[in-house]
Amino acid sequence: MKYVNAETVFPEWLLSELQQYVQGDWIYIPAIKGSRKAWGERSGSREALRRRNADIRKQYARGQSMEELSSVYGLAYDTIKKIVYSKT
């Protein structure tokens, strides 16, 4: 979060109205609901993990052991177990 001077952002009438409530303090203005993306959506990390986990489930269903999957993907055995047994 970065500091922005209200005088450079708000019209004079709105700044005057805000000063009726707050003067000289910091004020947080939240983003519009729904405008913020969830973790990994912007970079594609979420989709990459979803695909990786789907591949792990498929390979397990084809008979590859959790130990082998752990070694191939560089993940802990317990992590592979969580992925394999998760519903999504």
Side-chain angles (χ1 to χ4, degrees), residues 47-86 88:
E47 180 60 23
L49 287 177
R50 189 198 61 73
R51 276 187 265 122
R52 182 205 65 188
N53 293 350
D55 289 342
I56 289 171
R57 284 189 211 93
K58 284 179 194 171
Q59 290 176 24
Y60 179 76
R62 290 182 187 143
Q64 198 163 6
S65 72
M66 287 192 205
E67 290 85 4
E68 291 171 326
L69 291 168
S70 177
S71 177
V72 168
Y73 286 93
L75 298 171
Y77 177 87
D78 287 340
T79 303
I80 295 293
K81 190 173 165 182
K82 286 177 187 177
I83 292 169
V84 166
Y85 292 126
S86 70
T88 318

